[in-house]
Amino acid sequence: MTDHEAVTASSPHATEAAAVAAALGVQPELGLTASEAARRLAEAGANRLAPRKVPSPWRMATEAATQPFILLLLGSGALALLLGEVRDGLLVMIGLVPIVAADVVTEYRAERALEALHAASAPQARVRRDGVARDIPAAELVPGDVVLLRTGDVVPADLRLLEADALLLDRSALTGESLPEPGSAAPDAAGAPLADRRSQAYAGTCVVGGHGLGVAVATGSATEIGKIAGSLAVTERRRSPLQRELDRLVRILLIAALALIAVTIGLGFSRGNPAGANLLAGISAAIAAIPEEPPILLAVILGLGAYRLLRRGVLVRRLNAQETLGAVDLIITDKTGTLTENRISLARLVTPNGPIEGASATSRLGEALRAEDDAWRIASGAQPGSFARAIGQALDKPPQLDSEQLLESAAPTDAQPYSRTRTAEEELALGAPEAVLGLVAGATDAWHAKVAAETAEGGRLLLLARRPAAGVWEARAILVFDDRLRPEVRDAMRVASEAGIQTVVVTGDHPHTATAVARAAGLESDHVVTGTELEAWDDERLAAELPRLRVVARAVPDQKLRIVRAARVAGRTVAVTGDGVNDAPALHSADVAVAMGSGTQVAREAADLVLGDDSFATLMEGLREGRRMVENVRKGLVFLVSTHVALLGFILLATLVGYGQPLLPLQILWLELFIDLATSVAFEREAEEPGAMQRPPRPRDEPLLTAGLLVRIAFAGSFTAAAALAAMQWHPGAADHVRWLAYSALVMGQLVRAYANRSLSQSVFRLERNGFLVIACLVAVAIQVAIPYLGPVASAFRASPLDLEEWVIVAAIALVPAIIADLIRRRRQLWVA
């Protein structure tokens, strides 16, 4: 191992800067020589993330199209074409297109997440080589390079700071800390977590103030951002609940198809039919057993659901994520921007004697603004810092400061953590309370006690002190800043709690700040876990603590990811919010990855959903919509499966009693592909059922169609099949007429079933009206009634008009199951019509 590799592998943040430079074989005042830099570049490789072999779109499409459910439906469509059912076969294959396309887009987005991590590296770096400062491509940076940092720079590699002159680093994308933090050349404690390391500047973070000098200790994949890319590359998503449900449905239907083939072929041979005819009859029965509509139903509900969410400010990047929302029982959320407004504002001015208000507050705020070094440069076009901006916003009319009056000023530094300005009339200081109180002669215990009390409340504090010309320092006020809670978050947290969803706030902020925000949001905040504490837990302790976890402060990226993985091992369905580079691994490992619209490109590319307004409340609206969509998919599947049970049951029973052709192909096509499809798609319009957000999430491993529900579906479909067969058997008339009578009973039974199964547990008379479904059913009834009177159409369907008595029989067969189901549901029991 080389010296610079040893430094990289150890703890440069806890080592003296000079020792780090010496171990890396570089003199900071000269930098590396060109020849040495070239040698190290050949040894360490380019300063960029390791290139990956990206699968081609063709390979993505092939993998998506070879899933079991897709293959089964594809085979069914091909067999339908071979048997002459051209329209049926084409519809099956067309219905596969959105399913395959959604899978391809999902994988493509995952690849884009890694590409965004590459783009997060700085394209240029200013280094010192051969004693001369020069700009080079960031990809040519090597361990040991001395890098110059200026305001506005993106840090090109992980650096150990050698010098820091009022250096401020925005590390929010990596640590989650909402405010810029100072850099320091002094070493940190050996055990300091990444969020507390001031002696290092990390690749991908930004310099927002001052300037500095650092030596590169890690480049490329060895940087913190490189490690994130590596973890993102090997993480795999598991299949969504509905994908698993459709896989299960395929297995059930495959067994049913094989059984039908055996029965049909066996009956054919027992009656002396030719072997070829028996085989074709068996294959036809198997194709009928596989519902072609579920992929179309799923595509329509998820597609229109994505449009609904977009109107609410949620961009859906992966369609299947919507139905996963319905099963989410754990949300791991950031604090800054998601729960809060991500805007530092002045909350209050206080002294040991109480709050300062009115004209006194205005006077103190004027002094505080004059104490800010950067406030004096606003007139010349400089941008104010976050504190100067907040103070200015708190004043109705911020004073225009004349830089000609400023005699001396100093920005905050590690040695002097406060801003200090001097004019002919006064000298002012504003900054870290304990440091500023050190200027005040005989500072009383009351000021120290007040600072301690305000710190415990979680606010960010600055203390203002003033010294008039030829006077002494006097403490003037404590300025309390906060990042205000979004007004809608508290109600959203209540909804989450009522819905059985646990919320865990994971933030890089100070424990006091995290506690204050959690308390304001309505979360339990008596026990706040820090990242350091969590790091000391083994996996068993973390699993035991997870149900009670509410707030994790001073967390680092690996800890957020570890919580997600622990939750997945525990069988939880996890949604994770994030906006920074540091969030990408946790986002990619979650069941539902939610990025902030204002966040980094890396986070957005790794996400399934993007919140336009960054708000936790908007996420809860998405969860509500997800539950509605999943329930509507379940209703649609119940309807479609019951349709096939009724149809296949009728065909099987009629075949058993001796009918050679119980239904015509055109009749089956009309029933399956028009009536069923139109009415099942109408389920997308179903409103949320009363009390949907007062029930716990559906367990991740619980199927949409449980065994009990399948039994009820089989019972409902079998009743319609048996009743239709009885009508055909015992009603007098020509063969074509009684077949039309039975077929009309099947059609009307399905239309009534569609409306009656709008809820499986409540009376339909207690639900909001679904106008689209009503219209679809009425149109289908009108067409069914009109077919016998439409000449060529009637001939094709072999249809004849039904008299009043026959319509009464049809109505009875259709309505009896719905009436029974409604009576049972009024007793709060689940039933299928």
Side-chain angles (χ1 to χ4, degrees):
M1 178 180 288
T2 64
D3 286 343
H4 60 80
E5 285 175 335
V7 170
T8 303
S10 61
S11 303
H13 68 278
T15 307
E16 289 290 345
V20 174
L24 288 164
V26 63
Q27 298 180 43
E29 63 276 9
L30 297 177
L32 297 175
T33 63
S35 59
E36 176 63 14
R39 186 189 70 79
R40 294 190 184 192
L41 183 62
E43 177 187 286
N47 177 36
R48 54 172 172 257
L49 303 185
R52 299 176 64 252
K53 185 177 179 181
V54 180
S56 66
W58 172 252
R59 179 184 169 188
M60 294 180 189
T62 301
E63 290 178 353
T66 52
Q67 297 179 25
F69 184 71
I70 301 297
L71 287 176
L72 190 54
L73 287 177
L74 189 62
S76 300
L79 285 173
L81 292 175
L82 291 174
L83 293 171
E85 299 294 335
V86 177
R87 286 173 293 185
D88 196 353
L90 288 178
L91 186 59
V92 172
M93 294 182 176
I94 291 172
L96 296 178
V97 173
I99 307 300
V100 174
D103 279 349
V104 172
V105 169
T106 298
E107 187 171 356
Y108 176 74
R109 293 298 187 189
E111 298 300 332
R112 286 287 303 276
L114 292 175
E115 293 176 11
L117 277 171
H118 282 261
S121 299
Q124 291 287 316
R126 188 162 183 81
V127 301
R128 185 177 290 164
R129 286 186 179 172
D130 295 314
V132 178
R134 63 185 67 176
D135 290 325
I136 65 170
E140 297 179 7
L141 204 66
V142 297
D145 257 324
V146 176
V147 180
L148 288 75
L149 298 176
R150 302 157 296 183
T151 300
D153 284 350
V154 175
V155 180
D158 286 0
L159 310 178
R160 172 61 169 92
L161 294 175
L162 305 174
E163 299 175 8
D165 185 1
L167 184 67
L168 280 178
L169 298 168
D170 180 358
R171 305 196 300 174
S172 59
L174 191 62
T175 67
E177 175 62 51
S178 58
L179 293 173
E181 298 173 323
S184 170
D188 299 302
L194 188 145
D196 290 337
R197 296 176 188 174
R198 300 292 180 265
S199 65
Q200 283 197 250
Y202 292 99
T205 61
C206 300
V207 180
V208 296
H211 56 272
L213 189 71
V215 59
V217 295
T219 60
S221 300
T223 62
E224 291 297 324
I225 193 174
K227 295 173 184 176
I228 290 173
S231 65
L232 186 58
V234 299
T235 304
E236 294 183 1
R237 290 191 183 277
R238 63 186 169 190
R239 293 176 67 74
S240 69
L242 263 186
Q243 287 175 319
R244 296 194 298 270
E245 181 71 7
L246 291 179
D247 290 344
R248 174 177 171 270
L249 185 59
V250 164
R251 291 192 293 270
I252 294 173
L253 293 175
L254 183 58
I255 293 172
L258 293 174
L260 277 172
I261 290 174
V263 170
T264 305
I265 293 177
L267 285 175
F269 278 116
S270 68
R271 291 170 181 168
N273 294 333
N278 292 336
L279 182 60
L280 288 175
I283 293 175
S284 300
I287 293 173
I290 301 172
E292 303 88 357
E293 305 94 336
I296 302 174
L297 169 72
L298 187 59
V300 168
I301 289 183
L302 295 185
L304 292 180
Y307 175 71
R308 288 174 182 267
L309 286 173
L310 183 61
R311 294 177 62 185
R312 297 185 182 186
V314 181
L315 173 64
V316 178
R317 298 175 59 85
R318 185 171 69 95
L319 288 180
N320 284 336
Q322 298 171 91
E323 49 93 359
T324 311
L325 282 172
V328 166
D329 61 1
L330 173 64
I331 299 174
I332 298 176
T333 179
D334 289 337
K335 176 191 72 68
T336 305
T338 308
L339 303 183
T340 65
E341 296 177 343
N342 196 19
R343 188 169 61 246
I344 292 294
S345 60
L346 182 69
R348 57 191 177 275
L349 278 78
V350 296
T351 70
N353 297 324
I356 306 175
E357 298 174 338
S360 295
T362 302
S363 174
R364 296 291 198 282
L365 287 174
E367 293 176 4
L369 190 64
R370 296 197 300 275
E372 280 285 88
D373 169 71
D374 57 354
W376 291 87
R377 295 171 176 78
I378 295 175
S380 61
Q383 292 296 317
S386 54
F387 291 119
R389 185 183 301 111
I391 295 169
Q393 290 172 348
L395 288 164
D396 292 334
K397 293 182 179 180
Q400 297 294 323
L401 303 183
D402 183 0
S403 59
E404 295 294 328
Q405 298 178 1
L406 185 65
L407 301 179
E408 184 183 357
S409 69
T413 65
D414 282 343
Q416 179 185 294
Y418 50 83
S419 177
R420 189 168 179 174
T421 63
R422 183 171 65 87
T423 63
E425 290 80 22
E426 63 185 354
E427 190 170 359
L428 296 164
L430 180 69
E434 295 298 331
V436 175
L437 285 174
L439 299 174
V440 179
T444 65
D445 292 339
W447 280 99
H448 289 283
K450 187 63 176 177
V451 167
E454 292 292 342
T455 299
E457 290 297 316
R460 186 69 177 264
L461 309 185
L462 297 182
L463 191 134
L464 172 68
R466 178 178 182 271
R467 181 172 68 175
V472 296
W473 284 102
E474 173 193 5
R476 300 285 284 168
I478 299 171
L479 283 72
V480 183
F481 298 85
D482 64 12
D483 185 4
R484 283 197 293 257
L485 188 77
R486 288 176 178 267
E488 69 274 12
V489 163
R490 191 174 182 88
D491 285 342
M493 284 288 183
R494 176 184 52 77
V495 171
S497 178
E498 292 175 353
I501 301 172
Q502 178 186 352
T503 302
V504 179
V505 179
V506 180
T507 176
D509 280 337
H510 191 279
H512 289 318
T513 305
T515 300
V517 171
R519 187 184 302 119
L523 275 177
E524 298 174 13
S525 57
D526 294 338
H527 177 53
V528 176
V529 176
T530 65
T532 303
E533 291 177 83
L534 190 143
E535 189 69 27
W537 293 352
D538 57 20
D539 291 343
E540 291 73 17
R541 173 74 184 277
L542 178 56
E545 294 284 350
L546 183 62
R548 297 187 292 275
L549 211 56
R550 292 297 181 271
V551 180
V552 181
R554 283 300 186 197
V556 295
D558 287 346
Q559 292 162 354
K560 188 173 187 180
L561 177 60
R562 187 180 172 212
I563 295 171
V564 174
R565 288 175 173 169
R568 289 181 57 171
V569 169
R572 308 289 294 273
T573 301
V574 189
V576 174
T577 73
D579 59 1
V581 174
N582 62 315
D583 294 310
L587 288 171
H588 201 70
S589 297
D591 294 282
V592 181
V594 185
M596 305 299 107
S598 63
T600 62
Q601 182 70 11
V602 174
R604 292 197 298 270
E605 292 294 343
D608 304 316
L609 308 177
V610 178
L611 303 183
D613 63 358
D614 298 358
S615 176
F616 182 86
T618 303
L619 172 59
M620 287 308 303
E621 287 299 314
L623 289 171
R624 181 187 295 273
E625 182 67 14
R627 287 196 178 188
R628 185 192 71 86
M629 283 188 288
V630 169
E631 189 60 27
N632 288 347
V633 169
R634 183 168 79 143
K635 295 171 187 176
L637 288 177
V638 166
F639 169 70
L640 292 174
V641 175
S642 66
T643 294
H644 285 268
V645 170
L647 179 61
L648 293 172
F650 175 76
I651 294 173
L652 180 61
L653 291 175
T655 302
L656 290 173
V657 299
Y659 286 93
Q661 193 175 27
L663 293 177
L664 300 176
L666 184 60
Q667 293 173 337
I668 297 174
L669 189 66
W670 163 250
L671 178 60
E672 274 199 0
L673 302 184
F674 181 79
I675 295 178
D676 285 1
L677 188 58
T679 49
S680 64
V681 167
F683 280 110
E684 193 282 328
R685 304 295 296 272
E686 279 298 312
E688 176 186 302
E689 287 192 25
M693 292 302 287
Q694 280 74 51
R695 295 194 291 267
R698 183 174 61 88
R700 189 184 71 196
D701 295 326
E702 178 183 288
L704 282 177
L705 303 182
T706 61
L709 191 55
L710 286 172
V711 169
R712 291 172 173 85
I713 291 171
F715 181 83
S718 299
F719 173 84
T720 302
L725 178 63
M728 186 167 69
Q729 277 278 83
W730 298 328
H731 191 74
D736 283 346
H737 184 75
V738 295
R739 178 166 53 194
W740 182 254
L741 171 65
Y743 176 68
S744 296
L746 289 171
V747 170
M748 296 303 173
Q750 290 311 110
L751 294 175
V752 171
R753 182 174 286 115
Y755 197 84
N757 286 329
R758 292 176 55 215
S759 173
L760 303 180
S761 58
Q762 300 189 46
S763 169
V764 293
F765 298 104
R766 296 175 181 171
L767 305 177
E768 294 182 23
R769 189 177 67 177
N770 185 337
F772 188 89
L773 181 58
V774 170
I775 293 173
C777 290
L778 290 178
V779 169
V781 169
I783 295 175
Q784 183 69 21
V785 172
I787 284 175
Y789 303 98
L790 297 178
V793 177
S795 177
F797 275 89
R798 299 184 190 178
S800 53
L802 303 181
D803 59 27
L804 181 60
E805 178 187 350
E806 290 167 333
W807 277 116
V808 170
I809 294 173
V810 168
I813 294 173
L815 291 172
V816 166
I819 294 172
I820 293 173
D822 203 73
L823 291 174
I824 293 174
R825 290 170 187 161
R826 288 175 184 271
R827 299 170 61 185
R828 302 292 183 183
Q829 296 182 23
L830 183 144
W831 198 257
V832 176

